[in-house]
Amino acid sequence: MSDAESPLIDDLEHELRAEGVRITRQRVAILSALANSGDHPSAEEILERSRKQDSSVSLATVYRTLSILVDRGTVLRNEFDGTGARFELANKPHHDHLIDVDTGDVIEFTSPRIEELQAEIARELGYDIVDHRLELYGKLRTRD
Amino acid sequence: MSDAESPLIDDLEHELRAEGVRITRQRVAILSALANSGDHPSAEEILERSRKQDSSVSLATVYRTLSILVDRGTVLRNEFDGTGARFELANKPHHDHLIDVDTGDVIEFTSPRIEELQAEIARELGYDIVDHRLELYGKLRTRD
DNA sequence: AATGCTCTTGCGAATTATTTGCAATAAGAA
DNA sequence: TTCTTATTGCAAATAATTCGCAAGAGCATT
Ligand SMILES: [Mn+2]
Ligand SMILES: [Mn+2]
Ligand SMILES: [Zn+2]
Ligand SMILES: [Zn+2]
């Protein structure tokens, strides 16, 4: 039972180190928590998950680390309706979200057409898009 | 120099009264502030603006009144990046927003195509859209 | 116009999510 | 191992919004 980390985390560590960011136990735990999350955890959830690997992690460090990772573009911060930011690793292609208003489930989707239209609209208004947020809030269609 | 209110505010007052909502000086001041705002003011800004008409308005009442109006669908609450919610009367057709990241300016736009595509995407995923949020963050294109 | 029931208000305290100051601790270069 | 300095945990500070409560004010009724 070695302590080998996933290649993903290994890569991230190297990138961070290359930028002079120290690799601490806490940061590795937080990165692991994110890497092993298929969902969109809140800071509190990331705290819980990373504590399974390093019980010394504190909430302040979770926030500080997320802040660094978001600034680097390693992590995405989402602010869905309701409360608190939700995070995810930025290692997958761009996508937007559909939130199930009944269950809170978050479904990812992509629409090249919408992305194009957004750029077009911005262009017509004289702008270049630097970021955007598209969230659909829906209810599961029932076949009554 | 009469005290006549705009027909818009007059209508809103009647609707509210019909629902058993009492028309107070503060509420009229807040509604006026909203009706006279072409932009997307924050709660603090609405406080300042409504105080010009009724200096007794408090921030708690601004929030409480906005809450009622949002629940009724009279007012829309936007949560753009940065801090604090921004409000606007819901008396115009649906639109989304482009935020100038340099100046903070908020530009409104509509795209029937994007609206359609959103519904289509949700449908494919088995959902009916109950709400959505589309915000573009952009920089004014310069012709250097 | 006066009455009274009930909603609404202002104020300050409470909440929630996130940030920050600071002394103790630990990365990583030498 | 030593040394420098970034990082950490903790608690206190912020920022936006909500809440409890006693005082005040709509408005239906007389
Ligand atoms: Mn996602
Ligand atoms: Mn608008
Ligand atoms: Zn997108
Ligand atoms: Zn829209």
Side-chain angles (χ1 to χ4, degrees):
Chain A
M1 51 215 285
S2 78
D3 240 14
E5 285 162 8
S6 76
L8 170 58
I9 297 191
D10 233 54
D11 285 353
L12 290 175
E13 284 185 26
H14 280 116
E15 286 176 33
L16 289 166
R17 228 186 289 264
E19 293 183 37
V21 177
R22 291 184 184 175
I23 303 307
T24 65
R25 253 176 318 137
Q26 293 85 336
R27 286 176 178 170
V28 174
I30 291 168
L31 281 172
S32 306
L34 285 165
N36 298 326
S37 296
D39 53 347
H40 300 78
S42 64
E44 285 284 357
E45 288 168 333
I46 293 170
L47 174 67
E48 290 170 22
R49 298 177 192 184
S50 53
R51 273 185 166 163
K52 288 178 184 162
Q53 176 163 345
D54 177 351
S55 63
S56 83
V57 179
S58 74
L59 187 55
T61 292
V62 168
Y63 275 113
R64 282 185 288 231
T65 300
L66 286 173
S67 180
I68 291 172
L69 297 175
V70 168
D71 288 349
R72 290 187 73 259
T74 305
V75 164
L76 295 177
R77 175 189 303 253
N78 300 295
E79 296 217 32
F80 304 141
D81 277 1
T83 52
R86 316 216 137 235
F87 306 84
E88 64 184 312
L89 274 191
N91 63 337
K92 15 181 191 191
H94 171 75
H95 60 266
D96 294 295
H97 302 96
L98 164 61
I99 294 93
D100 184 317
V101 296
D102 294 316
T103 67
D105 287 354
V106 177
I107 298 164
E108 306 184 331
F109 69 84
T110 32
S111 171
R113 307 269 308 285
I114 288 187
E115 301 293 326
E116 277 170 40
L117 284 170
Q118 288 175 0
E120 189 179 312
I121 287 167
R123 182 158 15 90
E124 282 170 11
L125 293 170
Y127 281 83
D128 286 324
I129 293 183
V130 299
D131 194 12
H132 74 271
R133 163 196 282 173
L134 171 57
E135 290 155 20
L136 305 183
Y137 294 85
K139 281 174 131 54
L140 203 46
R141 186 155 8 92
T142 55
R143 41 165 148 60
D144 286 323
Chain B
M1 52 212 287
S2 77
D3 239 15
E5 285 161 10
S6 77
L8 169 60
I9 296 191
D10 233 54
D11 285 353
L12 290 175
E13 284 184 26
H14 280 115
E15 286 176 32
L16 290 167
R17 226 186 291 263
E19 293 182 37
V21 177
R22 292 185 184 173
I23 303 307
T24 64
R25 252 176 318 136
Q26 292 86 335
R27 286 176 178 170
V28 174
I30 291 168
L31 281 172
S32 305
L34 284 164
N36 298 326
S37 295
D39 53 345
H40 300 78
S42 64
E44 285 284 356
E45 289 168 332
I46 293 170
L47 174 66
E48 290 169 22
R49 297 178 193 184
S50 53
R51 272 185 167 163
K52 288 178 184 161
Q53 176 162 342
D54 176 352
S55 63
S56 82
V57 179
S58 75
L59 187 55
T61 291
V62 168
Y63 276 113
R64 281 185 289 230
T65 300
L66 286 172
S67 181
I68 291 173
L69 297 175
V70 168
D71 288 347
R72 289 187 74 260
T74 306
V75 163
L76 296 176
R77 175 190 305 253
N78 302 113
E79 297 217 30
F80 304 141
D81 276 0
T83 53
R86 316 214 137 238
F87 305 83
E88 64 183 313
L89 273 191
N91 63 338
K92 17 182 191 191
H94 171 73
H95 60 266
D96 294 294
H97 302 96
L98 164 61
I99 295 91
D100 184 318
V101 296
D102 295 316
T103 66
D105 288 354
V106 177
I107 299 164
E108 306 184 331
F109 68 84
T110 32
S111 171
R113 305 269 310 285
I114 288 186
E115 301 293 326
E116 276 171 41
L117 284 170
Q118 289 174 1
E120 189 181 312
I121 288 167
R123 182 158 15 90
E124 282 170 11
L125 293 171
Y127 282 83
D128 285 324
I129 294 183
V130 298
D131 195 10
H132 74 271
R133 164 197 277 174
L134 171 57
E135 290 154 22
L136 306 183
Y137 293 86
K139 281 174 132 52
L140 203 46
R141 187 155 4 92
T142 54
R143 42 164 148 58
D144 286 324

